Amino acid sequence: MASTPKSGTPLPPNPRSRTITQGIARSPNRAMLRAVGFGNGDFQKPIVGVANGHSTMNPCNAGIQPLVDRTIAAIKAAGGMPQVFGFPTVTDGIGMGTAAMKYSLVSREVIADAVETSVNGQLMDGVVAVGGCDKNMPGCMMAIARMNVPGIYVYAGTIKPGKWKGHDLTIVSAFEAVGAYAAGKMSEEDFAGIERHACPTTGACGGMYTANTMSSSFEALGMSLLGSSQMACPDPEKADSAAESARVLLHAIRMNIRPRDIITRKSIENAVALVMATGGSTNAVLHYLAIAAAAEVRWSIDDFERIRRKVPVLCNLKPSGQYVATDFHEAGGVPQVLKMLLNHGVLHGECLTITGRTLAAELAGVPDEPRAGQDVIRPWSTPMYAQGHLAILKGNLAPEGCVAKITGLKSLSITGPARVFDSEPECMRAIMAKKIRAGDVIVIRYEGPKGGPGMQEMLAPTSALIGQGLGESVGLLTDGRFSGGTWGMVVGHVAPEAFVGGPIALVREGDSITIDAKKRLIQLNVPAKELAARRRKWKQPKPRYTRGLLAKYAALVSTASKGALTDAELP
C-alpha cells in the first residue's frame, strides 16, 4: 500500500488544483462556506466530495451511511474538507418484472450526470463515491472518468447469504422459487420460507451478480482498494476499508493521480479479464463500453470476445456456480484471482492504481495459488471452464452483436421455433400459463434502449423457466438485458434493437432460430428475400413515453453495442 499522509498532516497544494476556495481568497463567497463549517484555516485545504448513495429503499444502499461517516472523519483527519452530496438509486431486485425496471439502466446515466454536476459545479478537488446497487458503480465511474478529477470508489458491500433448510439463499432463489411453485415442484412452506429468509442483512445481492461483478472489477481497474469489494456490508472491516479509501484518495490528490492515468485500455483489459475469471454479469459488457467511452479509451464490443478466449472461468460462484460473495472473500477474493491472472500472463501488472503503486506491486504479497481445502477459487490447471463465459455472438439476427452467458450449460447450441413477444410482461404471462415447451426459442423484443425504453432485465422470465425445469432446454433472446443472476441459454443486448428496425423486429412466430455459442452465431433461418419483404412492411411503433425522463433517454440513447450511452451521439 502506498504511504498516506499521517492523521492531521496538511496536504501540500495540488499543482493543478481545481479547488474553488483558492479562487475566492478575498471573495464574499467565503461567507457561504463558513456557514457549512469552514474556518480560517480551511480555505486552502482540498475540497473532497463524498458522493453518498445511502437510501432506505433497498438493502444494497441501506447500510451506506455508516461508511460515509467513517469516510468523512478520515478525510478531515488527512487534511481535507469533506463535502457530502447525494445521488439517486433504484434497485433492480425490487423493480424487476414491473414498469419500474425501465428506470434501472436509465439511473446509470442520471447518477453519472448527478455526480458530474455536483463535483464540477463546486470545483471539488476529488471525490469518494460510496454506492451499493448495480448502477451505482458504473454511473459513478463514468462521472469520475469524464471529469478526470482524482476519485476512488467505495463499494457498500455484499449481503450475507440467507439460509433455508441448510441451503444458502440469494435474491435469485426467491425469483426461481416463483417458477418452481407455479410448476408444482415446490411446497408452499418452502416458497414462503425462501422469500422470508433470502435477504437477511443490508448489502447488495450475494452472488456474482451485477453489483459484485462491477465492484470486484474496479479492484482490477485500479480504482478501488484491493480486497475491498466482496466484504459484507455489516462487517466492521467494510467501514475500515472506507476510511482507508479516503486516506488513499487524499494521497492521490496530493500526487495529482488522475482517473485517466489509471483507466486505460490495458486496465480495462484487466477489469474484463477479472469479470471473465469470476463468471460475472452480462451487464459488465454495457458498463465497460460506457466507462471506456467516458475515459475516451478505444474499446469495442469485439474486445470482450478477444479477452474471453484467453481467460478461463476460475470461480465457482452463483448464479451458475455454487458459492456466494462472502465465500469468495474468505477464499482470497479478487486479489487471489488477479495474482493467478498475473502469473499466467493475462494481466497487465504495470498498470497504475489509485494508491500510486502498480497493480503488480499491490499483488506482491498475495499467494500464487488459492489455498487448499476450498472449492470457490479453482487452480489454473482445473478451472470451471477453459474459456470465459460472456460470448459475443453475431449473425443476421444481430449484425452489431449480442451477449450470451454460456456457463452452467450442457449444450451450447439450440435451434428451435420462435415464440415471439413484444414485451416482457407478455412473455411472463405465457411462461406462467405453461405455454412454453422444451426446444422453443423465446424472443422478447421492443425492450431495447429506445424501445423499452431502458433495457429491462429479464430475470423474472428466466428464473421462472429455471424453476419449471426449462433453463437449459429453452432459448431466450432479447434486445433487453439480463440480471447478473440469470443463467441458461440466454442472449441479450441484441443490436440493432427492434424499435429502430433491427432484424429482431422481423421475426415471426414459428420461425427457426439458431443460437450457437461455439460458432458465436445467432441466426434467423429465413431467406433474405423473405426478410426484405417483411422489412418493407415494418413500421416503427409509437414511443411508449413522450414526456419526462424516459422520453429524454429514448431520444438520446445509443445502441447497446456502444454501451447504451446518452452522450455517445452528441456532436
Side-chain angles (χ1 to χ4, degrees):
M1 181 67 66
S3 59
T4 55
K6 294 180 180 179
S7 177
T9 303
L11 289 170
N14 186 327
R16 297 206 305 256
S17 180
R18 301 156 35 91
T19 183
I20 198 168
T21 58
Q22 297 192 16
I24 57 172
R26 291 180 174 83
S27 166
N29 300 54
R30 289 176 60 161
M32 297 189 72
L33 290 171
R34 289 186 187 278
V36 294
F38 279 68
N40 286 340
D42 296 328
F43 289 99
Q44 296 304 310
K45 295 177 181 177
I47 294 178
V48 182
V50 181
N52 184 358
H54 178 77
S55 170
T56 60
M57 272 300 296
N58 62 72
C60 318
N61 291 59
I64 285 178
Q65 192 57 49
L67 307 183
V68 168
D69 294 340
R70 286 290 300 278
T71 300
I72 291 169
I75 291 170
K76 289 180 178 178
M81 288 300 291
Q83 298 294 290
V84 183
F85 61 90
F87 60 81
T89 186
V90 298
T91 180
D92 301 356
I94 294 173
M96 199 73 69
T98 75
M101 260 303 293
K102 294 181 184 295
Y103 286 87
S104 170
L105 186 60
V106 176
S107 76
R108 184 190 75 179
E109 308 301 300
V110 174
I111 291 166
D113 291 348
V115 173
E116 179 187 346
T117 299
S118 296
V119 173
N120 278 352
Q122 297 300 141
L123 290 178
M124 296 174 182
D125 289 291
V127 60
V128 181
V130 190
C133 203
D134 293 13
K135 307 311 172 294
N136 294 184
M137 275 73 73
C140 288
M141 194 58 64
M142 288 162 62
I144 290 169
R146 278 185 204 167
M147 299 180 298
N148 203 29
V149 175
I152 192 169
Y153 194 89
V154 174
Y155 181 45
T158 183
I159 199 169
K160 292 187 176 182
K163 300 284 184 180
W164 179 248
K165 294 185 176 179
H167 295 285
D168 282 350
L169 303 177
T170 69
I171 185 60
V172 175
S173 306
F175 279 91
E176 292 180 358
V178 171
Y181 182 68
K185 297 182 177 183
M186 179 178 288
S187 69
E188 185 172 355
E189 177 194 8
D190 287 337
F191 178 72
I194 289 171
E195 184 271 324
R196 287 197 305 269
H197 294 90
C199 298
T201 70
T202 57
C205 301
M208 192 47 69
Y209 310 147
T210 304
N212 283 326
T213 295
M214 294 308 297
S215 65
S216 60
S217 72
F218 284 179
E219 292 187 41
L221 188 66
M223 293 296 292
S224 288
L225 297 187
L226 280 181
S228 66
S229 67
Q230 306 300 296
M231 295 172 177
C233 179
D235 288 351
E237 65 175 351
K238 186 70 257 186
D240 293 342
S241 176
E244 177 62 16
S245 296
R247 289 189 286 269
V248 167
L249 178 65
L250 268 293
H251 178 67
I253 293 172
R254 182 185 68 188
M255 301 303 294
N256 199 30
I257 299 172
R258 304 268 174 148
R260 295 192 189 184
D261 299 329
I262 299 169
I263 304 173
T264 64
R265 183 170 172 83
K266 286 185 176 181
S267 72
I268 291 175
E269 288 186 354
N270 288 346
V272 173
L274 190 281
V275 171
M276 295 294 180
T278 55
S281 169
T282 54
N283 285 306
V285 175
L286 274 181
H287 298 330
Y288 271 102
L289 286 166
I291 291 167
E296 298 186 72
V297 170
R298 181 172 57 86
W299 190 261
S300 76
I301 193 171
D302 295 321
D303 286 312
F304 293 93
E305 180 62 27
R306 178 173 56 84
I307 301 300
R308 183 191 75 82
R309 293 178 183 179
K310 62 182 182 180
V311 178
V313 179
L314 297 171
C315 298
N316 185 12
L317 296 170
K318 290 179 181 289
S320 57
Q322 186 176 352
Y323 298 101
V324 297
T326 50
D327 298 322
F328 182 39
H329 182 56
E330 185 179 349
V334 173
Q336 181 63 77
V337 175
L338 290 177
K339 186 61 174 285
M340 296 166 70
L341 295 175
L342 179 67
N343 288 347
H344 289 86
V346 291
L347 197 76
H348 301 289
E350 72 275 18
C351 288
L352 183 68
T353 75
I354 189 62
T355 68
R357 301 177 67 192
T358 66
L359 185 57
E362 291 290 314
L363 293 170
V366 178
D368 289 334
E369 295 293 336
R371 63 173 174 81
Q374 57 81 39
D375 189 42
V376 184
I377 305 173
R378 296 283 185 86
W380 191 271
S381 59
T382 55
M384 295 287 292
Y385 305 95
Q387 291 184 319
H389 64 301
L390 301 181
I392 305 301
L393 313 187
K394 291 187 177 181
N396 70 346
L397 197 45
E400 292 179 11
C402 55
V403 185
K405 191 174 187 179
I406 58 176
T407 45
L409 298 175
K410 295 176 183 175
S411 174
L412 297 181
S413 66
I414 185 172
T415 296
R419 305 298 309 279
V420 182
F421 304 95
D422 287 347
S423 70
E424 181 195 20
E426 184 183 338
C427 175
M428 192 63 183
R429 287 191 292 270
I431 293 172
M432 298 306 289
K434 301 182 182 179
K435 294 182 178 180
I436 304 300
R437 302 285 181 264
D440 287 346
V441 178
I442 295 172
V443 177
I444 305 177
R445 63 190 180 189
Y446 296 104
E447 293 288 10
K450 290 181 178 293
M455 295 187 78
Q456 294 189 88
E457 291 182 347
M458 306 299 158
L459 180 60
T462 58
S463 296
L465 289 170
I466 289 167
Q468 291 182 13
L470 297 172
E472 294 200 53
S473 59
V474 169
L476 192 155
L477 63 93
T478 179
D479 52 8
R481 298 182 295 131
F482 292 111
S483 164
T486 294
W487 69 276
M489 181 57 74
V490 297
V491 180
H493 313 187
V494 170
E497 62 176 292
F499 187 79
V500 300
I504 190 173
L506 308 179
V507 182
R508 292 181 179 174
E509 185 80 7
D511 283 349
S512 172
I513 291 177
T514 295
I515 302 170
D516 192 325
K518 278 191 174 181
K519 294 181 180 179
R520 297 188 293 113
L521 175 70
I522 182 164
Q523 184 78 21
L524 177 59
N525 301 312
V526 172
K529 186 176 181 179
E530 168 62 18
L531 292 178
R534 293 182 189 181
R535 179 169 298 283
R536 288 191 292 271
K537 295 179 181 178
W538 178 82
K539 293 182 180 180
Q540 185 178 65
K542 292 181 179 180
R544 287 171 171 161
Y545 298 86
T546 57
R547 299 295 299 272
L549 176 60
L550 294 181
K552 288 191 288 186
Y553 180 87
L556 289 172
V557 70
S558 74
T559 178
S561 65
K562 293 184 178 179
L565 290 168
T566 53
D567 63 349
E569 305 300 331
L570 298 180

